[in-house]
Amino acid sequence: MSTDAEFADARHIPPIPPQPPRRPDPAVTPGPEGDPQTAVLRRIPAEPPVPAPGAPAAAHPVPPRPTVPPPAAGAQPPPRPDRAPGPPAPAAPAAPTPPPAGRPAAFRDTAAFHLANSQKLWSDPRERGAGSGTGAPPAPRNPAPAGPPPAPGRGPTGPAAARPPQPPWPATAAPHRGVVPGAGAPAMLRHPSGRRPGPRLLGAVACLVLGIGLIGGAAAGSWLSDEADAAPATAAATFAKGRDVWHNTPADRLFPRTVNGLGVGPGGADRTWTRIAVAPDSGCGGAYDPKLAAALTRAGCTRLLRATYADATRTSVITVGAQITKTDQPGMRALNTRFSTKSLGTRTDLLPLPYAAKGTPAEDFGRAQRASWTVRILTDIPVVVYAVSGFADGRAVAEPQPAEEAVRPGATTAPAESGLGHDAKGLADRVGTDFRKAAGSPTRTTEASS
């Protein structure tokens, strides 16, 4: 934006008369003339008339002579006609430095100059929020002090010029959405992400924590149970557990349906026995000869379990039984010692009775058909295991033979040659092992065969 004054020739512009002095009013805020940032528009002299075409152009247009002679040097200038006369003003300041040639003397008073140099004032953000109410005019940025205006061409003087620039206002954190801070409450910092975690995220985190806890608990429980199972059981715990084996273990585990004896037959032959009957659990009455029952009375009887097997050829039948005693572990040791030292297991008047189930190959198996037998007193669990064998066709045997004698090499008796001693010994060993496994005891023999 420009005016004609910028392009006018300084030689054709008449000199500007000095302004008459005025009395400064301390109580009144200086006007636009005292504010260097306020644009002051001045009148521009009319352009010289353009000569008509064909008319001779004047060599040098001469401006009209002023009617009022210029004041003499040091004389008091006349007062301005548009203001009331007042007391005489102080002495005029020194004349300003003349402007360079080719530029008007009042160039700094043009509108273009002020508009070009006031862009920073308009774009300053601190000036936008000035004012305390609607319609209130903004206060001047640097108000001029009361007193005479500064000389032309000089900057403002006083505290306004020496005042340092104000620092920017600190940023204040806005409160959360929906939260109104109370009076005097400190400003609350916003969440870094600008939003609070949603319920889905919280639920996923909770499920993850619960899942990890459950997995960890299951792993710890499995580890502890494995260690408990791997820890060797004490003799007292095994003995107490053996007392409850008869009602805590299925019958098929204590008396398997099929028992395979590898190399337990005569001459190292293999034997196979099949279960043909299982007696209901009962007391010990009627299961032994009277003298054998009397010998076992000291140990007591909690329960008696019995089952009858037949060999693969159905020529031999074997009844195997297990008596659960009431005595303690020292009592079982004493009973085993008594049977071993007094040879109670080899006396023919101390034999167990067979279980002859009707409708089976063993229905004719009675007292006279008993050919070989064995009685085992277990000392690690409260169990007495026995087995008695005979012929399936009901053949009577005049002289029964203990199984331990019938299995010896070179024996020529009927029980030894027919393998009835091997049948009784093999099934007694297998049932005793099954009871020990069910009680958690090592499968070892700690007692002598009777």
Side-chain angles (χ1 to χ4, degrees):
M1 185 175 183
S2 63
T3 60
D4 296 340
E6 297 180 2
F7 304 98
D9 192 356
R11 296 175 298 177
H12 302 287
I13 298 176
I16 300 174
Q19 297 181 0
R22 59 184 179 85
R23 183 179 60 183
D25 190 1
V28 180
T29 303
E33 296 80 6
D35 189 0
Q37 298 183 358
T38 305
V40 180
L41 302 181
R42 57 182 291 274
R43 291 184 179 184
I44 301 176
E47 297 182 359
V50 181
H60 296 285
V62 179
R65 183 181 298 272
T67 58
V68 179
Q76 184 72 16
R80 295 182 61 176
D82 56 347
R83 293 182 181 269
T97 305
R103 180 169 296 183
F107 178 77
R108 294 177 59 87
D109 294 336
T110 60
F113 174 82
H114 288 283
L115 290 177
N117 289 273
S118 61
Q119 183 67 23
K120 182 178 180 181
L121 175 64
W122 288 99
S123 61
D124 193 352
R126 291 179 294 181
E127 298 293 337
R128 299 177 184 176
S132 58
T134 305
R141 185 173 182 180
N142 294 325
R154 296 184 181 180
T157 59
R163 185 174 56 186
Q166 298 180 359
W169 291 97
T172 304
H176 290 284
R177 183 178 301 176
V179 178
V180 179
M188 299 177 62
L189 299 178
R190 294 182 61 85
H191 196 271
S193 61
R195 54 183 300 183
R196 300 177 64 183
R200 292 186 178 179
L201 179 60
L202 297 179
V205 173
C207 292
L208 178 63
V209 173
L210 291 177
I212 294 176
L214 291 176
I215 294 175
S222 176
W223 177 66
L224 292 176
S225 62
D226 291 344
E227 281 198 349
D229 295 340
T234 61
T238 302
F239 191 87
K241 187 176 180 181
R243 197 183 303 277
D244 299 329
V245 163
W246 67 273
H247 61 81
N248 291 337
T249 309
D252 289 344
R253 288 186 57 188
L254 300 178
F255 301 101
R257 293 179 179 271
T258 301
V259 178
N260 296 317
L262 302 179
V264 297
D270 296 338
R271 305 287 281 185
T272 300
W273 303 282
T274 304
R275 192 183 68 191
I276 59 177
V278 177
D281 56 285
S282 61
C284 298
Y288 309 107
D289 285 342
K291 291 184 178 181
L292 180 57
L296 297 175
T297 302
R298 295 183 179 180
C301 179
T302 300
R303 219 64 177 169
L304 178 65
L305 308 178
R306 294 178 294 174
T308 300
Y309 288 81
D311 67 347
T313 61
R314 296 292 179 106
T315 58
S316 301
V317 290
I318 308 97
T319 296
V320 58
Q323 175 184 339
I324 312 300
T325 65
K326 296 181 179 180
T327 186
D328 54 5
Q329 195 169 12
M332 293 298 294
R333 292 196 184 101
L335 182 62
N336 179 57
T337 302
R338 183 167 180 264
F339 262 73
S340 300
T341 56
K342 295 185 177 182
S343 301
L344 298 181
T346 60
R347 291 173 52 176
T348 57
D349 57 345
L350 278 77
L351 270 67
L353 297 177
Y355 171 65
K358 300 297 182 180
T360 64
E363 61 180 353
D364 296 331
F365 188 22
R367 291 175 179 268
Q369 285 74 35
R370 295 177 294 181
S372 184
W373 81 98
T374 182
V375 178
R376 307 287 180 83
I377 310 297
L378 307 184
T379 58
D380 51 350
I381 57 176
V383 178
V384 176
V385 178
Y386 69 89
V388 57
S389 60
F391 292 103
D393 56 2
R395 189 187 319 172
V397 178
E399 295 183 3
Q401 187 178 16
E404 284 70 21
E405 295 179 2
V407 298
R408 290 175 182 173
T412 58
T413 60
E417 292 180 352
S418 61
L420 292 176
H422 296 81
D423 293 338
K425 182 180 183 301
L427 279 175
D429 291 341
R430 174 60 187 270
V431 171
T433 299
D434 292 340
F435 270 84
R436 282 191 169 107
K437 285 183 178 180
S441 177
T443 57
R444 58 186 178 86
T445 301
T446 58
E447 69 285 343
S449 299
S450 303

